[in-house]
Amino acid sequence: MSPAARIGMITPSSNTCLEPTTYRILGPRPEATVHFARVPVTRIAVDAGSDRQFASDAMVAAARQLADARVDVVVWNGTAGSWLGVDHDHRLTAEIAAATGVPATTSTLAMLAAFDAYGVRRLGLATPYTPDVNERIAAVYRSEGVDVVHDSALGISDNEAFARVPPSDVAAQLREVGAGVDGVAVLCTNVYGAALAEPLEAELGVPVFDSVAITLWHALRLADRPLPLSGYGTVLLNRRAS
């Protein structure tokens, strides 16, 4: 048996969702293990103070620590590139790869890769963020060929509070934005949306793209372990919605 792929993930410090959710999705599969490092992130807003949380210095330092574990890929498991711009994440992954010698990706790049793989050009977007953050995200996605035709923003800026949003509220958001689109996305790695993918795909008839699940999907592909993982929607099964 080949050794398990090791995935290193850089996590926002106030995030309490992505680690347990990632472990639940991967389950007991022996083909891959996931390892985490944290960087300070506490608030999401459209201002310079929030933006400074996503400077590369802390990210690269965390990536170097993960590289000590000889991981096969490093992932920034955060969605900031969705409003800061895709170039931000491309620069970040280049710096991480140069510092560690291993490939790198981000949640934003993972989501865009999934949209491309599943032919998503019209998107319904659900976030816990404030409306101005959603407007920035829509502009970034538009520049990448994805039109946000419906969106829902809960108006929260405290990153820790995102994980306190009940899944029933997230499901209601997805239903609100799910008409006339190629897919719907839960955009935030601190929102419990992954377990909603399977039942809501059956209800809405389109793929559900949860940030935590899609980040793991992309990391596994980069680590050459494209595992079919059941219970979290068609993307993690590597098939299309029926």
Side-chain angles (χ1 to χ4, degrees), residues 107 110-111 114 208-219 235-236:
S107 295
M111 192 68 83
V208 174
F209 300 86
D210 170 77
S211 290
V212 176
I214 296 306
T215 303
L216 178 61
W217 168 83
H218 197 227
V235 179
L236 267 69

Side-chain angles (χ1 to χ4, degrees), residues 91-168:
R91 290 192 299 269
L92 175 62
T93 55
E95 287 189 50
I96 289 173
T100 62
V102 299
T105 191
T106 72
S107 295
T108 296
L109 299 179
M111 192 68 83
L112 290 171
F115 293 161
D116 184 62
Y118 284 77
V120 174
R121 294 294 176 262
R122 293 172 55 83
L123 180 71
L125 177 68
T127 84
Y129 307 136
T130 52
D132 55 348
V133 175
N134 271 26
E135 290 173 9
R136 289 280 189 94
I137 294 167
V140 169
Y141 279 6
R142 191 179 308 116
S143 71
E144 298 297 317
V146 177
D147 185 20
V148 176
V149 296
H150 307 297
D151 80 287
S152 174
L154 295 180
I156 306 170
S157 57
D158 176 10
N159 195 75
E160 185 276 336
F162 298 158
R164 300 182 184 274
V165 175
S168 58

Side-chain angles (χ1 to χ4, degrees), residues 180-233:
V181 295
D182 302 319
V184 293
V186 182
L187 193 73
C188 179
T189 63
N190 201 25
V191 166
Y192 283 94
L196 300 172
E198 189 168 77
L200 281 176
E201 285 183 349
E203 179 180 333
L204 300 175
V206 295
V208 174
F209 300 86
D210 170 77
S211 290
V212 176
I214 296 306
T215 303
L216 178 61
W217 168 83
H218 197 227
L220 289 168
R221 290 165 71 90
L222 286 180
D224 198 27
R225 296 292 196 283
L227 307 176
L229 299 169
S230 62
Y232 295 91

Side-chain angles (χ1 to χ4, degrees), residues 21-71:
T21 299
T22 298
Y23 287 133
R24 287 177 190 136
I25 295 171
L26 191 58
R29 298 292 297 262
E31 296 95 334
T33 60
V34 186
H35 312 275
F36 297 92
R38 289 183 175 245
V39 295
V41 176
T42 59
R43 187 175 66 91
I44 301 303
V46 179
D47 60 46
S50 174
D51 292 354
R52 279 194 293 271
Q53 299 172 113
F54 308 109
S56 63
D57 292 354
M59 304 275 192
V60 172
R64 286 194 174 105
Q65 292 178 344
L66 289 167
D68 289 344
R70 297 187 180 180
V71 295

